[in-house]
């Protein structure tokens, strides 16, 4: 039997087993999450190969520059950072860094603040605004993200943004990747190769 005949036989074969179909309908559509452990659930998703993100913890935003420096040092990168003009970041001491707001095509590292995190998938939700440009988050080799623990939501449907809506918002789940070339997984094909999330417990 040819491959074509095999495929056609499957299409015209017996109907699916009713018990199996019923079991699929009974199964929950979303994973069970413990609302009291959203931080741990979110971190577990970050560790999945499909997300492949590293993380760090800080207790106050004043610790952010040191956390970013710690990450860049660990990656062998200089302390050069594309920093958005977000007023929440201006109170930090960035004196040991070389900062700029506009991202170059070969940008090594960019920092952004996520509006929300989703424990179900390990996704990050960002909004666009004058103080939150989108382009650096897709150009940099290292995408460094600040996320407040209080902004971690359980499920995808919990993510609609309250209040006035931004001009656009976008979701990022893990690093960019592709298997287009000979089926080999390549990270950073369409965006950052590394995603590092700094959780703020303040």
């Amino acid at each position: 039997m040819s491959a074509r005949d095999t495929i056609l036989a499957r299409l015209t074969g017996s109907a699916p087993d009713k018990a199996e179909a019923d079991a699929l309908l009974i199964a929950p559509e979303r994973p069970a999450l413990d609302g009291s452990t959203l931080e741990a659930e979110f971190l577990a998703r970050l560790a999945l190969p499909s997300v492949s993100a590293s993380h760090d913890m800080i207790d106050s935003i004043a610790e952010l520059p040191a956390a970013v420096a710690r990450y860049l040092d660990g990656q062998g990168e200089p302390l050069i950072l594309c920093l958005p003009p977000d007023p929440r970041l201006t109170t930090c001491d960035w004196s040991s860094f070389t900062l700029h707001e506009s991202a170059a095509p070969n940008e090594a590292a960019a920092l952004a603040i996520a509006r929300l995190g989703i424990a179900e998938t390990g996704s990050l939700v960002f909004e666009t605004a004058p103080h939150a440009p989108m382009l650096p988050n897709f150009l940099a080799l290292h995408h460094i993200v600040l996320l407040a623990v209080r902004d971690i939501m359980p499920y995808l449907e919990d993510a609609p943004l309250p209040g006035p809506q931004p001009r656009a918002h976008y979701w990022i789940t893990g690093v960019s990747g592709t298997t287009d070339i000979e089926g080999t997984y390549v990270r950073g094909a369409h965006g950052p190769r590394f995603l590092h999330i700094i959780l703020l417990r303040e």
Side-chain angles (χ1 to χ4, degrees):
M1 181 180 288
S2 68
R4 178 178 181 275
D5 293 335
T6 301
I7 293 172
L8 290 176
R10 290 177 181 173
L11 294 175
T12 59
S14 59
D17 183 82
K18 185 178 185 305
E20 291 181 5
D22 290 341
L24 290 174
L25 294 175
I26 295 171
E29 294 184 3
R30 61 184 190 178
L33 294 177
D34 184 347
S36 64
T37 61
L38 289 183
E39 180 183 328
E41 297 277 6
F42 182 75
L43 291 178
R45 300 311 186 280
L46 297 187
L48 294 175
S50 57
V51 180
S52 191
S54 57
H55 74 277
D56 198 353
M57 301 280 188
I58 57 176
D59 293 318
S60 73
I61 199 166
E63 300 174 27
L64 180 59
V68 174
R70 187 162 55 242
Y71 171 75
L72 292 177
D73 285 341
Q75 297 293 322
E77 297 285 355
L79 299 186
I80 301 173
L81 185 65
C82 182
L83 190 74
D86 193 306
R88 291 170 290 182
L89 301 175
T90 58
T91 59
C92 297
D93 179 9
W94 300 102
S95 58
S96 60
F97 287 78
T98 299
L99 302 177
H100 52 277
E101 291 182 6
S102 299
N106 61 345
E107 193 68 50
L111 176 66
I113 300 178
R115 177 73 180 264
L116 296 173
I118 308 298
E120 177 183 2
T121 59
S123 301
L124 298 163
V125 183
F126 297 87
E127 64 182 12
T128 58
H131 63 272
M134 178 171 60
L135 188 59
N137 298 331
F138 293 96
L139 284 180
L141 177 66
H142 299 271
H143 189 199
I144 306 171
V145 178
L146 177 67
L147 173 66
V149 170
R150 65 174 177 271
D151 292 331
I152 298 176
M153 302 291 112
Y155 296 107
L156 295 171
E157 56 265 42
D158 298 319
L161 303 175
Q165 296 300 298
R167 183 175 180 86
H169 70 271
Y170 53 100
W171 298 50
I172 291 175
T173 306
V175 297
S176 162
T178 184
T179 55
D180 290 345
I181 303 173
E182 298 183 354
T184 301
Y185 179 59
V186 178
R187 289 173 52 168
H190 309 294
R193 188 179 300 169
F194 304 97
L195 175 62
H196 183 65
I197 300 171
I198 300 173
L199 288 178
L200 173 62
R201 287 178 166 159
E202 186 177 49

